[in-house]
Amino acid sequence: MEFRFNVNDIFKSTISKINHALLPSDFSGDRRNASHSAALVANIIDAMGYASAKAQDLQHPITSADKLRNIDHTVYLMIEPEDNDGKGSVVGLLKIGVKNLFLFDETGMVHEMKSLCILDFYVHESKQRSGYGKKLYDYMLHDKEISPCKLAIDRPSENFLSFLYKHYGLAKIYPQTNNFVLFEGFFGNNTASTVSTKSYSSQGTPSHNEKNGHDCFDNSSVTSKTYSPNSYGRHNAVKPDDTMGKILGWLSPVQLGRQFHVSMSSHTALW
């Protein structure tokens, strides 16, 4: 996404972290420069947040400058410095944050826990399928020292699920009663990560799996997708047994008719 101003004047790195101050974590300058840069970053976040919502067919943006100012979330922005006649362009956005959630494990047991969540992820249409999304996601994983399967993901699109399967082998989903998606390995050992804490450069760095691997599972053994549009979120949540359903399932059509007749007769007597 291109802007009239030079994004290279704001972002000194290919990938930058933005917090509630709406400034890159490596920003340096006086108060006047900070105020001006924050206003430009707000424009970028609003524009990218709107584009993300449109791409996901959402009525309202998940990410905006106002929301970021008031909530302790982090936005990663990725730029392409050479685009737009050297003024650069913004190619990707990734928003994360910690939320207190009630989550079901593979046995159906519920856990109340604070989890790091993926709240929004968008790569501009002109830059998709070019490796930008993978670089941005890997940067976040290294920065937070977390494995892919340890993240709770809010309302992922089918494209996002395909992305996670392709690059990280995440396929088996633990159904939830909310809009979050958890993958196999989320509850394992209850540890945050096995990712190396070595410094990371967003250019020329091996991928997360190639360099460090992760503690989810060996994705080389994954041969097919196991998710479907209705296999995650509230559609496939753990549900209590339906006792009446079991009773009706045990009765034959003739028995069911007799049971219905007896029931109606008993109620008629009360009238």
Side-chain angles (χ1 to χ4, degrees):
M1 181 177 289
E2 297 180 352
F3 296 87
R4 294 181 179 179
F5 49 87
N6 192 330
V7 300
N8 294 314
D9 291 339
I10 307 170
F11 305 110
K12 305 305 179 184
S13 304
T14 304
I15 300 176
S16 299
K17 288 174 60 177
I18 312 295
N19 58 20
H20 62 88
L22 302 185
L23 290 171
S25 57
D26 59 354
F27 176 83
S28 61
D30 57 26
R31 181 175 298 181
R32 180 179 179 181
N33 288 334
S35 178
H36 177 67
S37 296
L40 297 180
V41 171
N43 289 338
I44 292 172
I45 291 176
D46 285 343
M48 291 291 286
Y50 177 81
S52 176
K54 184 177 180 181
Q56 299 178 65
D57 292 325
L58 301 177
Q59 293 184 348
H60 305 286
I62 302 170
T63 303
S64 69
D66 283 340
K67 291 180 180 179
L68 191 59
R69 286 191 187 98
N70 298 309
I71 304 177
D72 187 21
H73 290 164
T74 299
V75 167
Y76 295 85
L77 289 176
M78 185 175 190
I79 68 168
E80 180 52 71
E82 303 301 323
D83 284 353
N84 196 17
D85 297 325
K87 293 191 295 184
S89 67
V90 182
V91 300
L93 173 148
L94 175 59
K95 184 171 77 169
I96 63 172
V98 174
K99 286 183 173 289
N100 190 68
L101 301 172
F102 290 89
L103 302 171
F104 288 96
D105 63 20
E106 66 274 21
T107 67
M109 182 175 293
V110 67
H111 304 263
E112 181 181 7
M113 57 194 303
K114 293 185 182 297
S115 175
L116 185 63
C117 304
I118 302 296
L119 304 174
D120 200 2
F121 184 38
Y122 170 71
V123 175
H124 192 267
E125 285 75 8
S126 65
K127 301 295 184 180
Q128 292 178 7
R129 296 177 178 82
S130 301
Y132 289 98
K134 180 67 162 55
K135 290 180 181 178
L136 180 56
Y137 210 82
D138 276 350
Y139 184 96
M140 178 275 300
L141 293 173
H142 281 79
D143 182 57
K144 303 306 294 185
E145 300 182 11
I146 195 167
S147 296
C149 62
K150 301 296 183 181
L151 294 161
I153 303 175
D154 188 15
R155 292 172 290 189
S157 65
E158 285 297 301
N159 287 338
F160 192 7
L161 290 172
S162 296
F163 170 88
L164 293 171
Y165 171 79
K166 176 182 178 181
H167 295 296
Y168 305 105
L170 300 181
K172 185 176 180 180
I173 291 173
Y174 295 154
Q176 303 299 312
T177 57
N178 49 35
N179 290 318
F180 284 87
V181 165
L182 308 183
F183 288 97
E184 180 181 18
F186 181 87
F187 294 99
N189 299 325
N190 200 29
T191 56
S193 170
T194 58
V195 180
S196 170
T197 58
K198 294 181 180 179
S199 60
Y200 175 81
S201 169
S202 59
Q203 296 181 350
T205 301
S207 71
H208 179 68
N209 285 344
E210 292 170 342
K211 185 174 181 180
N212 298 306
H214 56 72
D215 61 347
C216 300
F217 50 87
D218 180 8
N219 66 353
S220 63
S221 64
V222 178
T223 57
S224 64
K225 301 177 184 178
T226 61
Y227 61 78
S228 67
N230 292 326
S231 67
Y232 58 90
R234 63 181 74 249
H235 299 291
N236 200 31
V238 177
K239 299 178 179 64
D241 291 337
D242 187 343
T243 304
M244 182 56 69
K246 286 185 176 180
I247 293 174
L248 296 179
W250 293 334
L251 298 178
S252 67
V254 174
Q255 291 173 318
L256 184 59
R258 291 174 180 172
Q259 185 72 17
F260 178 76
H261 176 73
V262 171
S263 176
M264 290 299 295
S265 298
S266 62
H267 283 292
T268 303
L270 294 177
W271 296 340

